[in-house]
Amino acid sequence: MTSLTSVTLEVDDLAAADRFYTAAFSLGPQVRLRAGDTATTGFRGFTMSITVSQPADVDSFIGSALEAGATTLKPATKSLWGYGGVVQAPDGTIWKLATSAKKNTGPATRKIDALVLLLGAEDVKASKQFYVERGLTVAKSFGGKYVEFASDDSGPVKLALYKRRGLAKDVGVPEEGDGSHRVVLGGTSGAFTDPDGFAWEPATVTSPSA
């Protein structure tokens, strides 16, 4: 089964970005960094989402991100679905921290239950078909609004598609944007580019900041 094994963020200042992500989230090798200065403006069309087990962990990750230099897009708050907030890293990547729980069961553990890459698609159904034809398996699908793909043991990052306009609204930014997405997906198949311009490349075993 084709799966997503890593996400590479292209950043202007590699050393600064490495310091930020180490301090903010302590992510493993599934999120990598590399230098890149291609032009980009506005919403880049994707978000990263960290799912945790309780509100205390949401607050802990948001707190460490803000201390490391992130800015708040949506303060953490309760909602019908749980508890969460949104921040933007200094390199421009948007991060959503969320849990389905509304009450804490103990102190924050900073354990990440799931890491999800959400791609904003102009036509979710067409992008879904594109990925199915390249070997990805659909785990959840809600018409033309949202699709989540299955991952196996070799795929530590979940991949999902969301209507671009809805994704921008969800994280509190205007949907307008152009230029580079500044993200590259590493997978278990060959190199290709999807209908919305997101590029895939064969995953390689490197350090997170390579």
Side-chain angles (χ1 to χ4, degrees):
M1 182 178 74
T2 300
S3 62
L4 177 64
T5 61
S6 65
V7 177
T8 298
L9 303 175
E10 296 182 342
V11 299
D12 291 324
D13 188 329
L14 190 58
D18 186 60
R19 288 193 298 270
F20 170 79
Y21 285 109
T22 298
F25 305 133
S26 300
L27 296 170
Q30 63 266 39
V31 176
R32 304 173 178 181
L33 306 172
R34 71 184 180 200
D37 58 1
T38 48
T40 184
T41 61
F43 182 44
R44 296 181 185 174
F46 77 95
T47 67
M48 298 293 298
S49 180
I50 293 176
T51 302
V52 295
S53 62
Q54 60 178 345
D57 291 290
V58 171
D59 290 337
S60 179
F61 279 120
I62 288 180
S64 59
L66 295 177
E67 288 179 5
T71 55
T72 300
L73 292 180
K74 280 191 173 182
T77 186
K78 289 183 180 180
S79 67
L80 292 175
W81 53 262
Y83 182 82
V86 183
V87 298
Q88 188 166 30
D91 67 87
T93 303
I94 295 172
W95 290 82
K96 183 175 183 178
L97 295 304
T99 177
S100 59
K102 295 183 181 180
K103 295 183 179 180
N104 292 317
T105 57
T109 64
R110 292 181 66 84
K111 178 181 180 295
I112 296 174
D113 292 336
L115 181 64
V116 183
L117 171 62
L118 276 162
L119 302 182
E122 292 296 341
D123 186 332
V124 173
K125 290 183 178 180
S127 293
K128 169 188 171 182
Q129 183 61 33
F130 175 88
Y131 279 115
V132 168
E133 290 173 355
R134 278 151 186 80
L136 276 76
T137 302
V138 175
K140 298 178 183 179
S141 181
F142 299 93
K145 294 183 178 180
Y146 178 83
V147 175
E148 184 177 304
F149 296 100
S151 60
D152 56 21
D153 292 339
S154 65
V157 186
K158 292 184 178 180
L159 176 67
L161 304 175
Y162 201 170
K163 189 74 173 177
R164 179 187 169 96
R165 180 180 302 173
L167 182 58
K169 182 179 180 180
D170 183 57
V171 295
V173 298
E175 67 173 295
E176 293 77 20
D178 55 33
S180 173
H181 293 300
R182 291 283 191 97
V183 65
V184 177
L185 291 68
T188 55
S189 61
F192 60 87
T193 300
D194 82 358
D196 295 285
F198 291 100
W200 285 65
E201 61 185 26
T204 57
V205 180
T206 58
S207 65
S209 59

